[in-house]
Amino acid sequence: MRLHESQAKDGRFLLRIDADEKVGYRMLTPDYGLYLVSRDGTRVLCAPAPTPAWHWQSFLIGQVLPLAAVLQGLEVLHASAVELAGYAVAFVGPSWAGKTSLAVHLVRRGAAFLTDDVVALESSGEKVLAHPGAGLTSVRHAEAHLLGEEAMELLGSPIGRDDDAVRVAIKRKERPLPLGAVYLIHRGGDPIDTVLEELRPADPRLILASSFNGFVLTPPRLINQLDVCARLSRSAAIFKATVPPTVGASTLAELIEAHAVATLESRRAS
Amino acid sequence: MPPDKSNNDQGMLAARVRLPDHVVYRSFAAETVVLNLKTGKYHGLNRSAGRMLEVLESVGNVKDAAARIAREYGQPVETVQRDLCGLCADLTERGLIEVDGPER
């Protein structure tokens, strides 16, 4: 059964995802290859496209493994995350919102890297745990230029590059952390000031819409998704960050770090 | 109150309700989200309606559920009965609960 098909503007197919009762899930993309994920998500078979390993592995990490995680009972958000004040802090937003750049700048300021692009969540009592992802991130060339050579060297080891970004292997946190705060990053609004607004309460639709892998719609997945998102709404502070286009990732990181640390330490104290 | 509506409420009060297996709900910070797994539709209930659903599921009997909620919220039981019957009618129409007893 075809679950998903996407095409480029010129009609070339980009990604096909099929479900098969025996095999599980089949993900086919001309740019990255063919990937089979078992029904329970415990096995992944890869037939990568003939491209450098770092390139097809970005698809494995960004699409295939999140599917496996969902099938194993985790829930995944399209987000980057770092550790601040002992908690996971996640940044959710569309592509080009600056989630990765924000995470990178926070790491440069001393935060521990947790994950880029996808964060896997698990219910744990009344809390939600955020699991570490692969220790890899893609830094757009413009951002790398702003960071400078020294900062990029301290960030990690480059393992590949394309026209858009350099892929960096980065040291990451090794254990899951309780999710303390989520920032929904939105570019626009006031032309000068960044506005951080606590969403209390957060609209459940906003939280559910941050979920990934919209094509796995089995009852166990939907129930787990509802469960994790409900716990997240009750246990994590959720903020909307409206960021003017003129505010760079470095400035935003400084602001968010101070805001998140104050929020999380206040929560811990109460 | 129009006689038909009054009779309907009386019928509903005497009924037992249950959540079908294909209906699940979870409490978010200020709202309860109900998911009908058969239709794939999500429904939102405000805080008090969400609490009513919890008590209904737990108690199973509309009249007793109304009594418990009235005590919990310190409200007149007649008011709660009316609100609860209205909620049950709405949830039944949406296929989110099943009613057994005098009111269908």
Side-chain angles (χ1 to χ4, degrees):
Chain A
M1 182 171 75
R2 177 72 31 93
L3 297 181
H4 171 87
E5 181 159 358
S6 55
Q7 293 182 333
K9 284 180 186 167
D10 61 6
R12 182 175 66 98
F13 101 84
L14 291 175
L15 173 64
R16 272 191 206 124
I17 303 173
D18 297 307
D20 180 280
E21 274 213 21
K22 289 183 187 169
V23 168
Y25 294 83
R26 177 175 172 268
M27 304 176 87
L28 176 63
T29 160
D31 293 338
Y32 301 102
L34 171 66
Y35 301 81
L36 302 178
V37 182
S38 61
R39 287 173 60 83
D40 62 2
T42 57
R43 285 180 304 126
V44 174
L45 297 177
C46 308
T51 60
W54 73 267
H55 185 248
W56 61 261
Q57 284 168 5
S58 66
F59 181 79
L60 174 70
I61 291 162
Q63 297 285 339
V64 181
L65 294 182
L67 170 59
V70 163
L71 296 172
Q72 290 197 44
L74 297 176
E75 188 50 45
V76 289
L77 296 189
H78 188 47
S80 301
V82 301
E83 179 190 13
L84 287 169
Y87 289 90
V89 177
F91 310 108
V92 174
S95 299
W96 294 97
K99 306 184 293 293
T100 297
S101 298
L102 176 55
V104 162
H105 279 274
L106 283 164
V107 167
R108 193 174 69 86
R109 295 177 64 84
F113 179 82
L114 199 63
T115 187
D116 185 28
D117 207 32
V118 179
V119 60
L121 303 177
E122 179 183 12
S123 292
S124 174
E126 271 308 301
K127 291 185 209 161
V128 172
L129 291 180
H131 284 264
L136 292 167
T137 187
S138 292
V139 183
R140 296 190 200 274
H141 293 306
E143 199 61 52
H145 181 71
L146 286 172
L147 278 164
E149 262 186 52
E150 192 181 333
M152 284 297 291
E153 277 173 24
L154 288 170
L155 187 66
S157 311
I159 61 167
R161 63 180 62 234
D162 59 19
D163 292 341
D164 291 329
V166 56
R167 192 82 166 146
V168 179
I170 182 171
K171 191 176 171 196
R172 58 147 198 194
K173 195 79 187 171
E174 291 292 324
R175 58 181 177 84
L177 293 169
L179 182 64
V182 177
Y183 289 81
L184 308 174
I185 309 290
H186 166 73
R187 286 277 174 180
D190 187 299
I192 298 170
D193 291 327
T194 297
V195 176
L196 301 177
E197 173 198 352
E198 185 165 14
L199 302 179
R200 193 194 287 197
D203 186 337
R205 281 157 285 221
L206 274 179
I207 303 171
L208 289 163
S210 304
S211 263
F212 208 46
N213 288 123
F215 50 84
V216 179
L217 300 176
T218 59
R221 193 279 166 105
L222 292 177
I223 292 169
N224 188 55
Q225 181 186 52
L226 195 62
D227 190 63
V228 170
C229 288
R231 281 170 211 256
L232 190 163
S233 82
R234 297 194 305 264
S235 63
I238 302 173
F239 300 95
K240 180 179 175 184
T242 305
V243 185
T246 51
V247 171
S250 176
T251 305
L252 183 60
E254 187 178 348
L255 180 64
I256 295 245
E257 181 190 49
H259 186 266
V261 169
T263 299
L264 295 167
E265 286 180 347
S266 165
R267 286 187 135 213
R268 187 184 281 123
S270 65
Chain B
M1 181 184 295
D4 282 349
K5 195 165 166 56
S6 174
N7 286 342
N8 282 345
D9 279 3
Q10 289 304 315
M12 186 64 82
L13 276 176
R16 291 192 64 79
V17 304
R18 62 176 286 275
L19 250 69
D21 291 340
H22 60 266
V23 174
V24 294
Y25 66 92
R26 293 292 185 272
S27 300
F28 282 64
E31 193 173 332
T32 292
V33 175
V34 188
L35 169 59
N36 184 329
L37 290 164
K38 269 191 182 169
T39 62
K41 278 193 178 171
Y42 292 81
H43 305 259
L45 300 178
N46 64 25
R47 211 170 247 163
S48 52
R51 179 61 187 146
M52 285 183 178
L53 181 62
E54 274 176 16
V55 175
L56 270 173
E57 189 190 21
S58 162
V59 171
N61 168 284
V62 180
K63 189 171 181 182
D64 291 346
R68 183 189 286 190
I69 292 162
R71 278 196 307 273
E72 196 170 300
Y73 284 84
Q75 293 293 318
V77 70
E78 297 81 11
T79 305
V80 175
Q81 284 176 346
R82 196 167 51 242
D83 291 345
L84 189 55
C85 289
L87 177 66
C88 287
D90 186 45
L91 294 175
T92 304
E93 199 176 313
R94 297 187 198 200
L96 300 178
I97 60 171
E98 289 168 352
V99 177
D100 293 322
E103 173 57 17
R104 286 208 169 264

